Amino acid sequence: MKIESTFKIKKGLAEMLKGGVIMDVVNAEQAVIAEKSGAVAVMALERIPADIRAEGGVARMSSVETIQEVIDSVSIPVMAKARIGHFVEAQMLESLGIDFIDESEVLTPADDKNHIYKHDIKTPFVNGATDIGEACRRIGEGAAMIRTKGEAGTGNVIEAVRHMRSMTDGINKIITADVNSLMSIAKEIRAPFEVVKDIHESKKLPVVNFAAGGIATPADAALMMQLGCDGVFVGSGIFKSGDPKERAEAIVIATTNFDNPEKLVEVSKELGEPMVGLNIDDLDETEKLAKRGW
Amino acid sequence: MKTGVLALQGSFFDHVKSLELIDKEYQLIKSVSDLDNIDSLILPGGESTTMMKIQKNDDLFESIKIKINEGMPTLGTCAGLILLANDVIDGQSSISCLNTVVERNAYGRQNESFEGLVDFNGNKEMYCFIRAPKIISYAQTVTPIALIDEEVVGIHENNIVGLSFHPELSNDIIYLEWLKNFLKDGLNVRSL
């Protein structure tokens, strides 16, 4: 007897990615560099976040050809982004045989009120969140993995830190709460009661939580790991840097050895230029991608 | 003595949870110096290509191979099985100490991943197969230890056990009891 695509199986793949680095790639060539550098998965997208930010316009799911090319070029899991609420892009990614769908605020949202109902799609979903309420809503819709949003394409880790700390505080509040106040908390954070109850009982988020958005150096990756995330997504940080391969390898080693400063020093030597960073305060409110998501 | 759990990447904390449930002390293994005080070893699921890349730093797998060849009870699940196998189709062999040919992701991609009813230790239990490797063939010195329908999904040679699936995501009582005995006695592990 075999049953495919149960929630346990969806969550299970995220469990296998723990302690790893998931790298943004825009073509097969970058995907191969990422795999050789030790990436645990690659994320196929049309343009990397720093370019989306610079060029503007509507950012959509990658072309079918690009996704197919990336799938054919590597043996590690391949993820791809769909627009928030764009369930048809998700259905297409499912049909393409993608291993994980990222319903991502980095792309231009397709629905200003609703996210995708993810239980109906065989492929597992990862969703961004800035706090525990948002994480619980996405889990309620069927997300099998959460990532903090950070602020993609900035090379500035401050928002990722803010969201990770907010998430940890939110989880601790639910865990230590009196059982009688769980409904009140659920109401306050606009979260499904069942997910809040699950966190209270199991004393942890029911799915894996990675960090994303602004990680550009091995030290950034180690910082997020020490703050308690399960692994990291690196977008623009790798292929917008001076030496992508060296930097990718260094971030992989740093993520495993996040609590070993000697090792972090060793891998951070001779890395070349990091990506140019952006100051979050210089961004207009409308330019903040983390605000997308409801 | 402790059970070492390879902690380069993957679901190693799920194995740690199993060890906590059977009151066995553990040591996370990230470098050669972590191998000193262990009497048994678990290689977790995750991405085998990533683990192979990270271990190169200090040739950790060379040291692990010596420990395994000395007879240390060793369990590999999913990617762990790939690391143990002598021959990997469409992939690289690495620790290479279990006489079997395995194929990576041979049950399909994530959409084909499944929970399956596995006959393991005379018990039937639903276990997760996640982009799982397939056991294509094995030497005569190898004994099947787990089956799904008629297909071999777990094998045992000397003190080495390799499983295509993830018992650590289920942690049923019979598995935990088996694990406890295996980590202690290795060789006395029961076969089908």
Side-chain angles (χ1 to χ4, degrees), chain A residues 1-3 5-6 8-9 15-18 36 38-40 75 77 94 97 99 122-123 249 256, chain B residues 8-10 14 30 46-47 50 53-54 57 104-105 109-111 113-117 131 166 169-170:
Chain A
M1 183 172 71
K2 293 178 181 178
I3 315 170
S5 299
T6 60
K8 194 172 176 183
I9 285 293
E15 301 283 346
M16 298 309 138
L17 301 174
K18 283 188 296 195
K36 284 190 177 152
V40 79
S75 68
E94 175 189 35
D99 297 298
K122 282 178 79 172
T123 314
E249 284 177 10
T256 296
Chain B
L8 300 176
Q9 187 275 320
D14 296 298
K30 292 189 184 184
E47 278 308 312
T50 301
K53 174 84 194 171
I54 300 171
N57 222 353
R104 292 180 65 206
N105 309 331
R109 302 187 71 87
Q110 177 61 15
N111 288 349
S113 293
F114 58 92
E115 286 185 59
L117 193 61
R131 289 173 49 97
H166 294 281
L169 295 182
S170 297

Side-chain angles (χ1 to χ4, degrees), chain A residues 38-49:
Chain A
V40 79
V42 290
M43 172 77 71
L45 72 173
E46 185 190 37
R47 291 174 282 167
I48 59 175

